[in-house]
Amino acid sequence: MSSATTSKRGLDVRYRTIDLVTIATLGVAFGVIFWGWGKLYEPLSGLAIFSFPPSSGLLAGVWLMAGVVGGLIVRKPGAAFATEFLAAAVSTFIVGGTQWGFSVFASGFWQGLGAELTFLLFFYKRSGVVVAALTGLAAATFASVYEWNAYWVDWDWDYKLAYLGFFGISGIVVAGLGGFYLVQALAKAGVLDAFPVGREQVDAALVD
C-alpha cells in the first residue's frame, strides 16, 4: 500500500511483522546506548561546565532519541511510545543496570508519552524536521515535569524552569534534529525501503 493511499484512508493502525521487529531492534539498540550514556552521565555532569545544576539537562537528550526515531520510521500509533519505553526497559536489565534503578521505567513512560502525543497531534502523517524537533521538545517537557517530582523536589522554581529549558534544548537538538538526520541517513543507505521514509528517498532520487 502506498503512503498516499494510506493517507487517504486515515490512520494506518495495522502492524506488519517488520514494524514490530524494527521497534524491538531499535528498542534494544537504544537500550544499550541509554545504558552506556548512563555510565558516562555521572562523570560528565560533574564537569565544571555543568556547575550550574540545571544545566545537566543538556545531557539528557540522548535518552529521548528512541521515541523520535521509532516514530519517524514506523509512523503508526504506539510506535514512538513502544520504542522509547522498550529502550528504557532494556537499559535497566543490562548487567549492572543503571544508577536510577526501576525508576527508569517511569522515565521511559513519560518520555515515550511526550513523543507519542506529538506524532498523534499530526495524525502520524508529518515526519519532517520540524515535527522531529517538536517531538524531542515534548518528550523533554514530559520528562522534566516527571523529574521535578522524582529527583529535583528540593529545587526552587527558578532551577526547575531552567532545567526544563536546558532539557528542552537538548530534546530539540540531540533527540529531534539528531534523530531526524539519523533516520534520513539510514533511509539514504537503503535500509528503510520497507517504510515510508525509505520510499520517499527512492521517489526523491527518481525525480532527481
Side-chain angles (χ1 to χ4, degrees), residues 9-54:
R9 292 183 180 181
L11 293 180
D12 183 2
V13 297
R14 294 171 302 174
Y15 270 79
R16 305 166 299 169
T17 300
I18 194 171
D19 296 328
L20 299 174
V21 170
T22 299
I23 289 172
T25 302
L26 290 172
V28 172
F30 275 106
V32 174
I33 293 171
F34 287 3
W35 174 83
W37 191 243
K39 301 304 179 187
L40 293 173
Y41 176 81
E42 295 296 344
L44 289 176
S45 62
L47 296 175
I49 193 174
F50 297 113
S51 58
F52 179 54

